[in-house]
Amino acid sequence: MAGVYFHIPYCKKACHYCDFHFSTNTRTRSAMVDAMVRELQLRHHSLKERSIETIYFGGGTPSLLSQAEIQNLIQAVAQHFVISDDAEITLEANPDDLQPETLSALRSAGINRLSIGIQSFFNEHLRWMNRAHSAEQAKRCIPLAHEAGFQNITADLIYGFPGLSDEQWDENISTLIALGAPHISCYSLTVEPGTALHHFVESGKQPAPDDDAQVRHFLHLVQRLTGAGYEHYEVSNFAIPGYRSRHNSAYWSAAPFLGIGPSAHSFTGTERCWNIANNHQYLKSIEQGQLPLTCEPVTQQTACNEYLLTGLRTAAGIDLNHVKTHWSYPVEERFASYIQGLVNNGRATCSQGKLKLTTEGMLWADAIAAEFFQND
């Protein structure tokens, strides 16, 4: 099993909180798609004839692509790899792009799963984030997607930001449930260095997110969605049975994937690589037949730490016996008192060698995993 990820580095507007690589200048879009096709050709050996189970268009804003451009990229994958008949092909989209004609074009292009960046159903929040869409567009896009034949849909919300009341957060959740999104991803607002939001907070123009509000919002989110029949299968991800993200699940289980485009990351099983995060330099390198890649080997220690980090964020947790036999790292014995403390304070369960975080524990998932890391 393997996947292909396309990073589409263009957006209409710069969201204040976003630290992903993108440009609001789309003049090079056509050349960028051609370069991605060329990069696939240059790297066709990377996945060693594995079947492609997932294709993911991320960004940036992939819904800015035309039907022909999307088809061009999917056909390029098919030219060099075998795409499974039931492959999950996801495209991230903004609500303002999802008009009936666009949705029809996406279906015709081969997209069978939509990831919609809603973030909030309140206009004042969308303006605060500098989003390009309106609350009305956010409410209409999922029904329009259903009418176009899309059943596999995930939608994003953000919580814990200044100005979001507990009542508004509950309404956001209720609205998304009522709209029938079978998969929901919710993220606590993080102030990332280099973003406009970071500048606003540092200069005192905006308050920093409130930790207590973020905890309240997360706990309420889990209660509401699990009560509505969603599986809480990863810290930030919830799905009606049968609608878990195959792309994300493969990433969490260390399946190989090929990242195409500026700033895209790849994992072969033995090394991680990433492209240069600069559109002009990426295009120039590919034009010259050179890969703008930086790679590093994945050591046994790194692989073990990544398993601990990603595994503890999932409902499945980690298999302590697997860690011991596969990496010769006796976590259960070495951290027996720490693990018992997690169990005693309600942050984890540990049974038959399986360590799983509770809802409370998931609030601290990354910090808990870091306690177990191997360090030189």
Side-chain angles (χ1 to χ4, degrees), residues 52-86:
I52 301 301
E53 304 283 345
T54 67
I55 299 174
Y56 195 99
F57 290 84
T61 309
S63 51
L64 294 176
L65 295 181
S66 69
Q67 176 181 340
E69 288 168 334
I70 295 169
Q71 288 175 323
N72 195 9
L73 291 171
I74 294 175
Q75 288 168 0
V77 176
Q79 182 178 353
H80 300 292
F81 305 98
V82 175
I83 303 176
S84 298
D85 291 339
D86 65 342

Side-chain angles (χ1 to χ4, degrees), residues 74-145:
I74 294 175
Q75 288 168 0
V77 176
Q79 182 178 353
H80 300 292
F81 305 98
V82 175
I83 303 176
S84 298
D85 291 339
D86 65 342
E88 176 190 270
I89 305 180
T90 304
L91 180 133
E92 292 181 353
N94 282 348
D96 49 303
D97 292 327
L98 297 181
Q99 304 304 317
E101 60 276 12
T102 306
L103 288 159
S104 177
L106 292 175
R107 288 272 292 171
S108 298
I111 302 300
N112 57 32
R113 183 174 184 267
L114 291 177
S115 176
I116 307 176
I118 288 175
Q119 316 312 354
S120 177
F121 292 102
F122 291 89
N123 279 321
E124 62 264 34
H125 300 154
L126 298 173
R127 286 192 293 268
W128 183 83
M129 297 175 191
N130 203 38
R131 297 289 292 173
H133 67 274
S134 68
E136 181 59 30
Q137 290 169 325
K139 292 174 181 176
R140 291 195 64 232
C141 63
I142 294 177
L144 287 174

Side-chain angles (χ1 to χ4, degrees), residues 39 43 46 259 264 266 273-276 285 290-295:
E39 186 188 354
R43 301 180 66 190
S46 299
S266 304
C273 304
W274 53 95
N275 281 334
I276 190 167
S285 294
Q290 300 174 351
L291 291 172
L293 276 176
T294 300
C295 296

Side-chain angles (χ1 to χ4, degrees), residues 5 26 33 48 52 61 69 88 108 137 143 162 172 213 255 311 322 376:
Y5 171 82
T26 63
V33 172
K48 299 179 180 178
I52 301 301
T61 309
E69 288 168 334
E88 176 190 270
S108 298
Q137 290 169 325
N172 276 342
H322 174 71
D376 291 329

Side-chain angles (χ1 to χ4, degrees), residues 56-326:
Y56 195 99
F57 290 84
T61 309
S63 51
L64 294 176
L65 295 181
S66 69
Q67 176 181 340
E69 288 168 334
I70 295 169
Q71 288 175 323
N72 195 9
L73 291 171
I74 294 175
Q75 288 168 0
V77 176
Q79 182 178 353
H80 300 292
F81 305 98
V82 175
I83 303 176
S84 298
D85 291 339
D86 65 342
E88 176 190 270
I89 305 180
T90 304
L91 180 133
E92 292 181 353
N94 282 348
D96 49 303
D97 292 327
L98 297 181
Q99 304 304 317
E101 60 276 12
T102 306
L103 288 159
S104 177
L106 292 175
R107 288 272 292 171
S108 298
I111 302 300
N112 57 32
R113 183 174 184 267
L114 291 177
S115 176
I116 307 176
I118 288 175
Q119 316 312 354
S120 177
F121 292 102
F122 291 89
N123 279 321
E124 62 264 34
H125 300 154
L126 298 173
R127 286 192 293 268
W128 183 83
M129 297 175 191
N130 203 38
R131 297 289 292 173
H133 67 274
S134 68
E136 181 59 30
Q137 290 169 325
K139 292 174 181 176
R140 291 195 64 232
C141 63
I142 294 177
L144 287 174
H146 284 149
E147 291 172 13
F150 285 99
Q151 298 304 317
N152 199 351
I153 297 170
T154 180
D156 291 358
L157 293 175
I158 296 178
Y159 62 88
F161 55 86
L164 175 66
S165 69
D166 294 352
E167 293 75 21
Q168 288 173 320
W169 177 230
D170 182 71
E171 186 172 338
N172 276 342
I173 299 169
S174 296
T175 302
L176 207 45
I177 293 172
L179 289 171
H183 188 285
I184 298 174
S185 297
C186 298
Y187 302 98
S188 175
L189 180 74
T190 303
V191 181
E192 300 290 353
T195 61
L197 180 59
H198 181 261
H199 171 73
F200 296 153
V201 171
E202 288 293 299
S203 64
K205 294 180 180 178
Q206 294 286 349
D210 180 78
D211 292 341
D212 291 339
Q214 294 189 332
V215 169
R216 285 198 316 275
H217 290 175
F218 176 76
L219 296 176
H220 185 66
L221 169 73
V222 175
Q223 180 186 31
R224 286 297 316 278
L225 290 185
T226 55
Y230 290 79
E231 301 171 331
H232 185 199
Y233 72 105
E234 194 270 346
V235 171
S236 303
N237 288 275
F238 304 78
I240 295 296
Y243 284 94
R244 293 188 181 191
S245 168
R246 289 165 56 190
H247 172 81
N248 288 346
S249 296
Y251 171 78
W252 299 325
S253 62
F257 63 93
L258 182 61
I260 302 295
S263 81
H265 284 234
S266 304
F267 174 61
T268 67
T270 58
E271 67 178 3
R272 292 195 181 276
C273 304
W274 53 95
N275 281 334
I276 190 167
N278 181 291
N279 289 2
H280 174 73
Q281 292 182 34
Y282 171 85
L283 290 169
K284 183 178 180 181
S285 294
I286 296 297
E287 183 181 358
Q288 295 172 348
Q290 300 174 351
L291 291 172
L293 276 176
T294 300
C295 296
E296 64 180 18
V298 177
T299 66
Q300 288 295 298
Q301 177 176 295
T302 298
C304 179
N305 289 346
E306 289 178 351
Y307 171 79
L308 295 170
L309 180 65
T310 58
L312 282 173
R313 291 182 59 87
T314 68
I318 58 174
D319 186 334
L320 298 171
N321 295 320
H322 174 71
V323 176
K324 184 175 182 178
T325 57
H326 193 74

